[in-house]
């Protein structure tokens, strides 16, 4: 049974901040740009705010996704085995630099913006 929960820490370390940042960003935008009741573009506004919140959250939590993926791949041919989450983060930073944490983020953002905007509108 314990094996079912083995990868839960990296997932939770990313999920809670992601949702907090996303909803916080949308709330901030809602406060900064209040809704006009006569505005026919309210749906567009929600889509843009949702996409902005999703992209912001995705950028800030992407390093955690990289660590999570590396932990999932560990032990497969061509990938090393880490002692845990912090060991993985330190090793990636030491051997490949900060840029490795963001590798592939551009493609993810192209997917994320319409997805988050569409679910917020």
């Amino acid at each position: 049974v314990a094996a079912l929960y083995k990868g839960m820490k990296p997932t939770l370390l990313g999920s809670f901040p992601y949702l907090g940042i996303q909803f916080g960003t949308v709330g901030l935008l809602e406060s900064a740009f209040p809704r006009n009741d006569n505005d026919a573009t309210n749906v567009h506004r929600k889509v843009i705010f949702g996409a902005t919140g999703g992209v912001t959250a995705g950028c800030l939590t992407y390093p955690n996704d990289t660590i999570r993926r590396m932990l999932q791949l560990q032990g497969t041919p061509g990938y090393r085995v880490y002692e845990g989450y912090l060991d993985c983060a330190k090793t990636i930073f030491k051997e490949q630099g900060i840029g490795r944490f963001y590798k592939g983020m551009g493609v993810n953002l192209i997917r994320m913006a319409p997805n988050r905007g569409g679910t917020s509108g």
Side-chain angles (χ1 to χ4, degrees):
V1 174
L4 294 173
Y5 298 99
K6 188 174 182 183
M8 199 163 177
K9 186 191 308 181
T11 301
L12 291 176
L13 283 172
S15 295
F16 290 127
Y18 179 91
L19 292 171
I21 293 166
Q22 178 188 357
F23 288 121
T25 301
V26 171
L28 184 66
L29 290 170
E30 292 276 354
S31 296
F33 304 100
R35 189 176 85 140
N36 179 355
D37 289 333
N38 298 327
D39 191 0
T41 61
N42 189 40
V43 172
H44 297 106
R45 184 175 164 278
K46 285 185 173 187
V47 169
I48 290 168
F49 288 178
T52 303
V55 167
T56 301
C59 288
L60 294 175
T61 61
Y62 198 78
N64 181 72
D65 286 343
T66 298
I67 295 166
R68 182 180 49 80
R69 279 189 301 278
M70 296 303 285
L71 288 170
Q72 288 172 337
L73 291 169
Q74 69 181 334
T76 59
Y79 291 91
R80 70 179 321 141
V81 175
Y82 301 98
E83 293 178 21
Y85 185 88
L86 290 178
D87 179 53
C88 181
K90 287 191 285 188
T91 303
I92 291 170
F93 181 75
K94 195 177 349 175
E95 293 180 0
Q96 300 177 48
I98 193 87
R100 176 60 182 97
F101 290 105
Y102 294 94
K103 188 175 180 180
M105 187 174 75
V107 173
N108 195 45
L109 292 179
I110 292 169
R111 175 192 64 83
M112 190 181 315
N115 181 332
R116 297 313 311 157
T119 58
S120 297

